[in-house]
Amino acid sequence: MKIGFIGTGTMGQPMLANLLKKGHAVVAYDVVQAALEGAVKRGAARAGSAAEAARVSELVITMLPSSPHVEAAYLGAAGILEGIARGRLCVDMSTIDPAASRRVAEAARNRGVRFIDAPVSGGVPRAEDGTLAIMVGGDARDVEEARPVLACLGANIIHVGPVGSGEVAKICNNLIAGVAAVAVSEAFRIAEGFGVDPKILTDVVSKSSGNTWVMEHMHPVPGLVGKAPANRDYAPGFMTDLMAKDLGLAVSAARDLRVPVFVAPAAQQVLRLASSHGLGRKDFSVVYEFLKPSSSQAPV
Ligand code: NAD
């Protein structure tokens, strides 16, 4: 199949590489030249706009940072809906506001185009291995049509419900992961303060009730987990700013639903503050670096 791939950043590049590996042709577009070059180096053809990528493709995938980027890429000038033929299917794999997904789906429907949301979990390692978890929202027939392509990218493809539901599942998942990342960093700073070896604490936690995927795969302490971003000066991975965005999506959904939330806003503010201190484009596990103890002279 000829697939248009829009947004060829940290996740987009390894994902499109898997499509190419499985025999699909990919036409890529990104607003940043260096990101588009990365896709071309992996074997994708280059498009001059999202509209052009959509015009020449049988299916369109988008992997963009957040809601405004997705709305711009679909609805903006030289956007996907400008170029795409009626009847085609679009799969947005970005993590965005479920309401934005529904808005884009409706605009697509008005032009005779089908749209599903299919955000992912698993980060760069699973994007590279083609073993992402993919949570999908959309019409069942559209989901089944996309499934063989999604199977090139992920090991678990779960149809959650109508359009926007994939995003709901994703922001709930990232609420848990974002809070866990802050909790793991706090815990390891406390252990360190007591002089406990972080490797031994990792052994303990991994066999205990505090075990979490975030510690197993994105351990914030350098040198403990093979592929963790901490080992390469917290190069992402998953940027602090993106995790702050996802926690923000969960917090605003909770506000709209009148659900009380306490720990998600706290975790979001820690990440925001880390971003204010220049760590926004580092992997979110860098929050450990940020949560340094203050001076031992400080009164307690
Ligand atoms: P990224 O910023 O590295 O890549 C996004 C790319 O989209 C960039 O190259 C950017 O230039 C491009 N872009 C922005 N606006 C555009 C437009 N209008 N048209 C074309 N290209 C445009 O981000 P990422 O880490 O690849 O994440 C992408 C999405 O996946 C985000 O929603 C993120 O929350 C989600 N996600 C990321 C990870 C991860 O580990 N990085 C894991 C799961 C989900």
Side-chain angles (χ1 to χ4, degrees):
M1 198 182 248
K2 197 166 186 181
I3 299 171
F5 204 108
I6 293 146
T8 57
T10 312
M11 291 292 279
Q13 287 186 33
M15 289 166 69
L16 69 84
N18 280 323
L19 295 173
L20 290 162
K21 231 181 268 167
K22 300 276 163 64
H24 295 291
V26 172
V27 185
Y29 175 67
D30 196 292
V31 285
V32 170
Q33 275 312 309
L36 186 52
E37 284 307 327
V40 170
K41 266 197 199 119
R42 290 176 187 256
R46 179 196 312 264
S49 66
E52 185 193 327
R55 189 175 301 118
V56 298
S57 301
E58 298 164 80
L59 178 93
V60 173
I61 294 179
T62 43
M63 192 54 171
L64 301 160
S66 65
S67 308
H69 302 94
V70 171
E71 296 199 289
Y74 279 89
L75 315 175
I80 295 163
L81 294 186
E82 227 179 80
I84 197 166
R86 289 179 79 83
R88 294 280 194 231
L89 178 60
C90 300
V91 184
D92 178 38
M93 305 191 77
S94 329
T95 304
I96 65 168
D97 182 351
S101 274
R102 292 193 199 110
R103 281 197 297 276
V104 175
E106 195 185 337
R109 199 178 313 119
N110 291 340
R111 304 207 34 164
V113 172
R114 295 168 297 139
F115 175 96
I116 61 177
D117 56 303
V120 307
S121 183
V124 174
R126 290 208 195 163
E128 278 167 353
D129 297 348
T131 57
L132 289 163
I134 307 180
M135 36 224 108
V136 195
D139 180 271
R141 271 172 308 179
D142 296 341
V143 175
E144 288 320 303
E145 190 177 318
R147 195 178 283 276
V149 172
L150 296 179
C152 302
L153 306 173
N156 291 294
I157 300 157
I158 300 162
H159 184 193
V160 184
V163 162
S165 321
E167 298 293 355
V168 173
K170 172 65 187 173
I171 62 178
C172 292
N173 177 77
N174 274 26
L175 182 157
I176 298 168
V179 166
V182 177
V184 167
S185 292
E186 290 177 353
F188 276 80
R189 283 297 184 195
I190 290 170
E192 239 171 63
F194 278 105
V196 167
D197 182 342
K199 187 173 183 322
I200 295 175
L201 181 65
T202 304
D203 286 346
V204 171
V205 173
S206 67
K207 293 172 185 67
S208 306
S209 52
N211 192 26
T212 161
W213 189 94
V214 168
M215 187 193 75
E216 284 184 310
H217 296 269
M218 325 282 278
H219 204 305
V221 180
L224 297 181
V225 167
K227 282 189 173 175
N231 299 344
R232 7 171 250 271
D233 192 27
Y234 301 94
F238 186 45
M239 287 181 236
T240 301
D241 281 342
L242 290 177
M243 183 53 104
K245 169 212 46 156
D246 290 0
L247 285 162
L249 290 172
V251 170
S252 56
R255 188 199 55 208
D256 293 347
L257 297 164
R258 278 84 173 160
V259 174
V261 279
F262 289 85
V263 295
Q268 189 202 10
Q269 294 312 310
V270 175
L271 293 168
R272 253 313 163 242
L273 201 54
S275 178
S276 307
H277 284 73
L279 301 173
R281 297 189 65 81
K282 296 271 189 188
D283 187 79
F284 72 114
S285 53
V286 78
V287 69
Y288 164 80
E289 276 295 302
F290 184 62
L291 291 173
K292 286 197 175 104
S294 61
S295 152
S296 58
Q297 308 306 311
V300 286

